[in-house]
């Protein structure tokens, strides 16, 4: 299922030849596996158990929260939800739209895509979830935090990263893990 998602399709063909044809057709946009795309960078010595990385990683990641937005989703079916003056009126529009099985199914898929992303993030990143005094800090995942940790993963030892991030990097509890990564494990040189 995740391979299909990485290719931007619903299901993977059963036969490998069909999958190869699909990829070669240009009808998919596969996710980029950096280590396989740049083996000379990550496996310069030819040893898969001793990967390296880039000398530098630069970026300006998106700054928005990673969360589903019901109002925006339902607006694709009924623009009036954007102008609903109260929560009760908005909920009435949502309930009406959810009574249509096709819309309910699409909304379920939309919400599940965020849950899938959260599960993948839990596996891929170790500095995103931090507990402060027994409570999870920053329950809302921010895209810039994911990018910052990914930058770290792509660097060789001693590599440098330059990234444009919001003030939330130094101000929000949710960024505690990434701050710890940059300040203590990566030896942050400057922050403007």
């Amino acid at each position: 299922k995740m391979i299909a998602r990485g290719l931007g399709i619903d299901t993977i063909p059963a036969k490998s030849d069909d999958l190869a044809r699909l990829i070669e057709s240009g009808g998919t946009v596969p996710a980029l596996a950096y280590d396989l795309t740049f083996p000379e960078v990550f496996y310069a010595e030819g040893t898969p158990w001793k990967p390296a990385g880039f000398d530098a990683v630069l970026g300006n990641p998106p700054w928005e929260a990673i969360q589903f937005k019901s109002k925006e989703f339902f607006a694709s079916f009924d623009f009036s939800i954007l102008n609903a003056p109260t929560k009760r009126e908005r909920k009435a529009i949502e309930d009406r739209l959810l009574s249509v099985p096709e819309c309910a199914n699409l909304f379920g898929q939309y919400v599940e895509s965020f849950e899938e992303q959260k599960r993948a993030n839990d596996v891929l990143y170790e500095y995103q979830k931090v507990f402060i005094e027994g409570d999870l800090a920053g329950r809302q995942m921010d895209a810039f935090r994911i990018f910052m940790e990914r930058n770290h993963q792509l660097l060789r030892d001693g590599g440098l990263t330059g990234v444009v991030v919001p003030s939330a990097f130094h101000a929000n509890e949710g960024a505690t893990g990434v701050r710890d990564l940059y300040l203590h494990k990566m030896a942050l040189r400057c922050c403007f």
Side-chain angles (χ1 to χ4, degrees):
K1 187 173 181 180
M2 291 308 288
I3 292 171
R5 184 170 179 197
L7 290 171
I9 57 177
D10 293 327
T11 58
I12 295 288
K15 296 180 179 177
S16 60
D17 290 342
D18 293 338
L19 177 60
R21 275 192 290 283
L22 178 66
I23 292 170
E24 292 169 0
S25 73
T28 63
V29 181
L32 182 65
Y34 288 100
D35 60 336
L36 299 178
T37 304
F38 304 104
E40 69 281 5
V41 171
F42 288 89
Y43 308 110
E45 297 176 15
T47 53
W49 57 89
K50 190 179 169 190
F54 291 112
D55 293 326
V57 176
L58 303 174
N60 184 2
W63 294 2
E64 70 266 359
I66 300 172
Q67 65 182 9
F68 68 89
K69 297 176 177 134
S70 300
K71 186 167 65 171
E72 287 80 356
F73 174 85
F74 290 116
S76 64
F77 297 93
D78 185 345
F79 282 127
S80 68
I81 198 167
L82 297 174
N83 296 323
T86 65
K87 279 179 133 181
R88 192 176 90 231
E89 290 175 11
R90 190 179 92 207
K91 174 100 170 78
I93 296 169
E94 287 181 11
D95 290 345
R96 179 177 47 81
L97 292 170
L98 286 172
S99 70
V100 178
E102 294 83 6
C103 184
N105 183 41
L106 288 172
F107 184 66
Q109 291 174 16
Y110 174 67
V111 171
E112 178 57 23
S113 71
F114 285 90
E115 294 303 316
E116 288 173 352
Q117 186 173 359
K118 286 181 189 177
R119 289 191 296 271
N121 289 343
D122 287 347
V123 172
L124 296 171
Y125 304 107
E126 64 179 288
Y127 295 95
Q128 299 303 314
K129 286 189 174 181
V130 175
F131 288 86
I132 298 175
E133 297 178 4
D135 191 29
L136 181 62
R139 294 184 186 281
Q140 197 58 55
M141 184 64 66
D142 288 314
F144 84 89
R145 291 177 12 216
I146 297 290
F147 276 80
M148 290 183 77
E149 187 166 345
R150 187 66 175 142
N151 285 358
H152 164 71
Q153 293 172 347
L154 294 173
L155 288 173
R156 67 166 175 77
D157 285 342
L160 300 172
T161 185
V163 60
V164 179
V165 295
S167 63
F169 170 69
H170 57 80
N172 291 9
E173 274 190 346
T176 300
V178 172
R179 262 195 315 273
D180 180 56
L181 171 64
Y182 273 68
L183 291 170
H184 300 111
K185 301 198 174 35
M186 294 177 64
L188 179 72
R189 291 187 183 180
C190 59
C191 182
F192 297 102

